[in-house]
Amino acid sequence: MVAEEGFERWDGNGAVGYIALARAVEAQVAAPPGHARVVVLSRCFPTGYLGHWVRRLAENGLVSALTATSPARLAHPEGGEPLAGTNPLAIGIPSSEGRPLVVDVSMGKVTHGDVLRGAAAPEELVPFGGEQAHKAFALAVGLHMLVSALAGEEHGAVLLVARPEHNPVPGLRRRAEGVRLPGDG
C-alpha cells in the first residue's frame, strides 16, 4: 500500500500471516533499506514462528525486530478477562562468523500451540515470570498496542529491518563459550 525508503505498509487482506510475512521479508532481502525501515503488515494472522523470519533476514546481513498480535489470551496476573495476546517478539542479528543470533520469545508461560496439541492445559497460558509475571504482561500489552496503533484493530505485525553498523555477535559468542545462546540449535 505504501513503499517509502523508511516505511512500508502491507495489507494482508485477511491472508494467512505466514504468506504476508514471507512476501514482506522477501521484499526486504531483495531491496534492503539504505539504513532502516519499518514495515507494517495489517489484516494477517497467524504469523507463526517469528524467529524464522528474523533468521532469514539475519542470514542476509540485516538486523531485525519483529512482533505480531494474536487473539487476547493473557489476563492480568491478578486475574480477569484476557486483555492481550501472547504477542511474540523476535530479534535477529547477523554475524560475520556465520551463525546469527536469533531471539524469539512469547509472553506466555506456555504457547497456545502447546494448549492446542494437549501439551499444556488452557489455565497454564498465563504471562511467564511467576511472581514477576506483571513484566511479561506489560510487555504483551505494550507490543499489542504498538502493532494495533500501526496496523489497525485486526491482527497484524510490525517489522523493523536495518543494516548493521557493528558486528557484536562474534564477541558475545567468545564471552559465552560453552553456553547455548538464543536461537542456537
Side-chain angles (χ1 to χ4, degrees), residues 52-127:
H52 171 78
W53 307 111
V54 299
R55 181 179 303 279
R56 178 129 189 261
L57 290 161
E59 288 170 344
N60 283 278
L62 297 167
V63 171
S64 60
L66 174 61
T67 189
T69 55
S70 63
R73 295 188 175 110
L74 295 180
H76 189 280
E78 294 177 9
E81 70 177 274
L83 298 173
T86 55
N87 305 337
L89 176 61
I91 299 169
I93 311 294
S95 173
S96 63
E97 294 179 351
R99 276 190 316 165
L101 180 76
V102 176
V103 176
D104 187 350
V105 179
S106 165
M107 301 311 127
K109 179 180 173 184
V110 300
T111 68
H112 182 63
D114 290 336
V115 173
L116 290 176
R117 64 185 177 86
E123 55 273 6
E124 292 178 87
L125 187 50
V126 297

Side-chain angles (χ1 to χ4, degrees), residues 4-98:
E4 300 171 355
E5 175 54 28
F7 180 80
E8 290 183 4
R9 176 175 298 286
W10 293 65
D11 182 357
N13 196 27
V16 174
Y18 309 118
I19 295 168
L21 273 173
R23 292 207 173 120
V25 167
E26 287 170 9
Q28 304 317 303
V29 170
H35 294 286
R37 181 179 299 136
V38 173
V39 180
V40 176
L41 296 95
S42 60
R43 301 190 319 143
C44 58
F45 181 80
T47 49
Y49 171 55
L50 299 185
H52 171 78
W53 307 111
V54 299
R55 181 179 303 279
R56 178 129 189 261
L57 290 161
E59 288 170 344
N60 283 278
L62 297 167
V63 171
S64 60
L66 174 61
T67 189
T69 55
S70 63
R73 295 188 175 110
L74 295 180
H76 189 280
E78 294 177 9
E81 70 177 274
L83 298 173
T86 55
N87 305 337
L89 176 61
I91 299 169
I93 311 294
S95 173
S96 63
E97 294 179 351

